[in-house]
């Protein structure tokens, strides 16, 4: 399958705005049977889409996890297969993590783009279609909508809060890489909501570890970038 590398803001909007983006958040280290977890996510998501009357064709957004037998990368593969949808891959830029793109699972990926491009979208890049945009990739920024900058500040504050709690528990601070991967998670889903006008964020577990990257989903909710009622699909074992 050929993967299209999206290189401009215009091409990102043109290719991805017709889709309903689906993101699945869960833990890399998950010992549960991924087929069972995926089946439950699919049931939860389908029910949510029926209730919300989602009409755009879905596309599953992944964030560079390498393929494993269990955990979130295994779950997303199965979810995409059960829903019959293709995938879009977001990778960190090489200057941030040179190994991230190399290790990413590209199974059934039809579009690929970089984290920095989504950060530009979130920080006010417009989706103009003039020749000027196509030729030199310039775009305007709305200084009142620097949501990416707000996310950065909020995640830094959340890490400081978590580290204070870890200190009281006699634990070391979170590793430095937590900030970048929390940003990847939150920037991706907020940017796709801006691109498409809608998004589904489905959890792969009802037991989010307090100090996991996944736990930073609270930041997007707190900033109002993701709406818990309309955008989130929490994990349920019984389909209710």
């Amino acid at each position: 399958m050929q993967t299209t590398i999206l290189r401009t803001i215009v091409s990102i909007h043109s290719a991805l705005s017709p889709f309903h983006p689906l993101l699945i958040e869960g833990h890399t280290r998950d010992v549960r049977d991924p087929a069972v977890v995926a089946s439950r996510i699919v049931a939860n998501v389908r029910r949510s889409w029926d209730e919300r009357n989602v009409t755009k064709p879905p596309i599953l957004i992944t964030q560079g996890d390498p393929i494993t037998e269990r955990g979130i990368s295994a779950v997303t593969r199965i979810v995409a297969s059960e829903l019959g949808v293709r995938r879009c891959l977001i990778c960190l830029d090489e200057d941030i993590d040179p190994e991230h793109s190399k290790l990413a699972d590209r199974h059934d990926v039809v579009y690929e783009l970089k984290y920095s491009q989504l950060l530009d979208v979130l920080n006010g890049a417009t989706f103009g279609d003039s020749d000027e945009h196509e030729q030199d990739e310039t775009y305007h920024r709305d200084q009142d909508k620097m949501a990416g900058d707000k996310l950065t500040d909020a995640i830094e504050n959340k890490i400081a809060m978590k580290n204070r709690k870890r200190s009281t528990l006699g634990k070391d601070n979170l590793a430095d890489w937590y900030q970048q991967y929390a940003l990847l998670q939150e920037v991706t889903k907020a940017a796709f909501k801006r691109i498409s006008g809608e998004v589904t964020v489905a959890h792969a577990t009802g037991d989010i570890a307090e100090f996991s990257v996944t736990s930073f989903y609270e930041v997007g909710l707190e900033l109002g970038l993701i709406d818990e009622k309309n955008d989130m699909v929490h994990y349920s074992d019984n389909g209710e």
Side-chain angles (χ1 to χ4, degrees):
M1 176 177 297
Q2 184 175 359
T3 300
T4 299
I5 309 297
L6 302 177
R7 303 186 186 279
T8 69
I9 297 296
V10 174
S11 66
I12 289 170
H13 184 257
S14 176
L16 298 174
S17 62
F19 291 99
H20 178 87
L22 167 63
L23 297 94
I24 301 173
E25 296 179 341
H27 302 317
T28 302
R29 297 176 180 176
D30 189 335
V31 299
R32 296 173 298 166
D33 183 342
V36 173
V37 176
S39 179
R40 178 46 50 206
I41 292 171
V42 168
N44 294 339
V45 164
R46 281 177 169 158
R47 185 179 66 256
S48 174
W49 287 347
D50 286 343
E51 293 171 351
R52 293 154 57 197
N53 193 30
V54 170
T55 57
K56 287 185 176 183
I59 188 168
L60 197 150
I61 314 301
T62 62
Q63 298 167 67
D65 296 292
I67 185 60
T68 54
E69 290 185 6
R70 296 180 184 269
I72 192 64
S73 66
V75 168
T76 54
R77 266 201 184 198
I78 299 170
V79 168
S81 176
E82 288 197 17
L83 289 174
V85 302
R86 301 303 187 189
R87 308 201 297 175
C88 174
L89 172 64
I90 316 303
C91 288
L92 290 172
D93 300 69
E94 284 75 9
D95 61 332
I96 299 173
D97 184 345
E99 298 301 313
H100 191 245
S101 176
K102 294 178 184 178
L103 298 174
D105 178 20
R106 287 179 166 79
H107 178 72
D108 271 352
V109 168
V110 290
Y111 296 111
E112 182 174 340
L113 59 157
K114 299 295 186 185
Y115 161 79
S116 62
Q117 295 172 288
L118 292 183
L119 190 60
D120 285 339
V121 168
L122 208 52
N123 274 341
T126 62
F127 301 130
D129 56 2
S130 66
D131 291 340
E132 177 185 7
H133 283 283
E134 291 288 359
Q135 291 170 4
D136 63 12
E137 301 184 36
T138 59
Y139 47 81
H140 301 291
R141 294 178 181 273
D142 182 341
Q143 296 299 323
D144 294 328
K145 295 183 179 179
M146 293 294 191
D149 295 340
K150 293 178 181 177
L151 264 175
T152 300
D153 292 342
I155 286 174
E156 288 178 352
N157 291 335
K158 185 72 75 173
I159 287 174
M161 182 190 74
K162 288 179 181 289
N163 281 339
R164 286 193 295 270
K165 183 165 185 181
R166 288 177 67 86
S167 178
T168 66
L169 298 172
K171 297 178 179 290
D172 292 336
N173 285 349
L174 295 172
D176 291 342
W177 53 261
Y178 265 78
Q179 179 171 333
Q180 190 56 68
Y181 282 88
L183 274 169
L184 174 63
Q185 173 181 282
E186 295 308 301
V187 166
T188 297
K189 59 193 180 188
F192 267 92
K193 185 174 180 179
R194 183 166 191 254
I195 292 165
S196 180
E198 55 193 60
V199 69
T200 294
V201 181
H203 278 178
T205 176
D207 184 21
I208 304 295
E210 182 179 9
F211 299 116
S212 65
V213 170
T214 305
S215 71
F216 285 83
Y217 81 93
E218 297 171 344
V219 174
L221 296 178
E222 291 164 359
L223 292 178
L225 297 172
I226 299 297
D227 182 84
E228 184 158 19
K229 180 179 179 181
N230 294 316
D231 303 332
M232 296 287 301
V233 178
H234 292 287
Y235 188 79
S236 170
D237 285 313
N238 56 18
E240 297 178 359

